[in-house]
Amino acid sequence: MGFELRHLRYLLAVAEQGSFTRAAEILHISQPTLSQQIRQMERLMGTQLLDRTGRAVRLTDAGETYVHYARRALQELAAAERAVHDVADLSRGSLRLAVTPTFTAYLIGPLTGQFHVRHPDITLSIREMTQDRIESALLADDLDLGIAFRGAHLPGITTDDLFTEALSLVVGTHHPYADRTDPLPVRELESRPLALLSSDFATRRHIDTYFDQHRTTPRIAMEANSINAVAEMIQRTPLASVLPEAIARDHPHLRAVPLDPPLPERTVTLLCRSGSYQSAAARAFTHLTRQWVASSGYSSSP
């Protein structure tokens, strides 16, 4: 049609930035050149793609339609390039992985550690983000795999269930409950001081719902947006917390105490974009994850 892939990238940059000036800076070309290239696209398409009359540059209806397909085309081309350069023997390659925050405390370290030992030539990019951002990044082809919880997922996301995660009361070894083996009635936590994750964690919302359902109101003595901070606090104080019991499983200074009734379990799942190309590195990580789950004694997902 007379224009090249760079023209698609030019149009997307202007659409995303809402400005020729900012787009030109990002693209490292002059603003007049960028404007000329976009006008050339519009002439060849026979329609106006951008509305330049307002303070910000906006896509026209035709531009919105075109950008939808242009973005998808660039994603598919990027996937095609990765497929061409994919090496089945894993002598090179990369893996882009994201996890929701609680998994950094007990899951991602062992998994990525084993993966690196097995495949040291694969470059790992690991990001921590909320589940909705993981799914959006997968759909935008900014990630290869995500680890999160089963639930309502965006259209275009495929899930592969791994195991069920149990939450329990977690205390330090000096806590009065540390040696308790019988489940602790949840009502015994009424007005007890707890250190909990902050409300921006899905896990905290899960915990709050549980307490509300059982009409129990612990005293929240500390909140933190870091699992490591909560774990450090309960090791050094009389405070208890509610965390994935796996965090305490191999920790020398933490103990898990089951609650009665138990908190509802959640299913941990591996996420990817439906129909996307799965590189040798992604397939190897998926296989390793299943092996690790089986050998670590986690409950299989239903």
Side-chain angles (χ1 to χ4, degrees):
M1 202 172 204
F3 51 81
E4 303 172 6
L5 287 177
R6 60 188 169 86
H7 293 100
L8 302 184
R9 296 189 175 96
Y10 291 170
L11 178 63
L12 288 174
V14 176
E16 289 167 0
Q17 297 301 316
S19 163
F20 278 95
T21 301
R22 290 195 295 272
E25 291 173 353
I26 290 171
L27 294 166
H28 304 293
I29 62 173
S30 70
Q31 182 176 334
T33 298
L34 176 59
S35 181
Q36 178 188 12
Q37 296 291 319
I38 297 296
R39 288 195 182 278
Q40 180 184 357
M41 280 189 72
E42 291 176 320
R43 285 196 300 271
L44 289 168
M45 295 286 293
T47 189
Q48 185 177 343
L49 301 173
L50 295 171
D51 178 1
R52 303 163 174 82
T53 59
R55 294 183 61 183
V57 181
R58 302 171 64 87
L59 289 165
T60 63
D61 289 345
E64 289 277 6
T65 301
Y66 187 76
V67 160
H68 171 75
Y69 289 98
R71 186 174 285 117
R72 183 189 299 176
L74 289 174
Q75 289 174 359
E76 293 298 328
L77 285 169
E81 289 179 9
R82 289 198 302 276
V84 168
H85 295 294
D86 187 21
V87 179
D89 66 4
L90 299 170
S91 59
R92 69 169 185 268
S94 63
L95 179 66
R96 303 166 301 169
L97 174 69
V99 299
T100 51
T102 52
F103 296 126
T104 57
Y106 72 93
L107 182 66
I108 203 62
L111 279 180
T112 56
Q114 287 191 30
F115 186 82
H116 178 70
V117 168
R118 292 191 189 186
H119 311 295
D121 298 314
I122 300 297
T123 300
L124 270 173
S125 171
I126 305 165
R127 300 165 66 185
E128 182 183 276
M129 59 180 70
T130 59
Q131 182 151 337
D132 57 343
R133 287 185 58 205
I134 289 177
E135 295 190 10
S136 296
L138 285 168
L139 293 174
D141 197 34
D142 292 331
L143 293 173
D144 299 307
L145 296 171
I147 299 178
F149 294 105
R150 186 208 287 168
H153 302 287
L154 294 176
I157 295 295
T158 296
T159 65
D160 181 7
D161 292 345
L162 298 172
F163 62 92
T164 55
E165 180 192 76
L167 296 172
S168 68
L169 193 72
V170 176
V171 300
T173 50
H174 58 277
H175 194 280
Y177 293 152
D179 296 323
R180 185 181 181 113
T181 56
D182 295 334
L184 178 75
V186 65
R187 295 305 297 271
E188 288 195 26
L189 294 180
E190 183 71 32
S191 301
R192 295 267 182 160
L194 296 183
L196 295 180
L197 294 168
S198 54
S199 58
D200 47 341
F201 280 75
T203 297
R204 171 61 186 276
R205 296 190 290 274
H206 190 66
I207 293 166
D208 286 345
T209 299
Y210 168 80
F211 284 139
D212 288 344
Q213 288 174 342
H214 298 289
R215 297 179 175 83
T216 301
T217 308
R219 181 167 64 86
I220 311 305
M222 190 199 88
E223 292 182 310
N225 64 353
S226 161
I227 288 184
N228 288 335
V230 172
E232 288 292 321
M233 179 61 69
I234 60 179
Q235 286 180 66
R236 291 168 168 76
T237 70
L239 297 176
S241 186
V242 180
L243 294 169
E245 63 180 36
I247 291 175
R249 182 175 297 172
D250 299 318
H251 197 293
H253 304 298
L254 296 178
R255 298 289 183 269
V257 180
L259 289 170
D260 180 27
L263 280 95
E265 293 182 332
R266 299 181 292 177
T267 299
V268 179
T269 190
L270 198 63
L271 307 176
C272 67
R273 181 164 60 94
S274 304
S276 64
Y277 171 76
Q278 290 293 291
S279 67
R283 294 194 302 272
F285 185 84
T286 300
H287 179 67
L288 170 66
T289 300
R290 286 216 162 273
Q291 283 187 325
W292 185 84
V293 168
S295 65
S296 299
Y298 286 96
S299 299
S300 299
S301 59

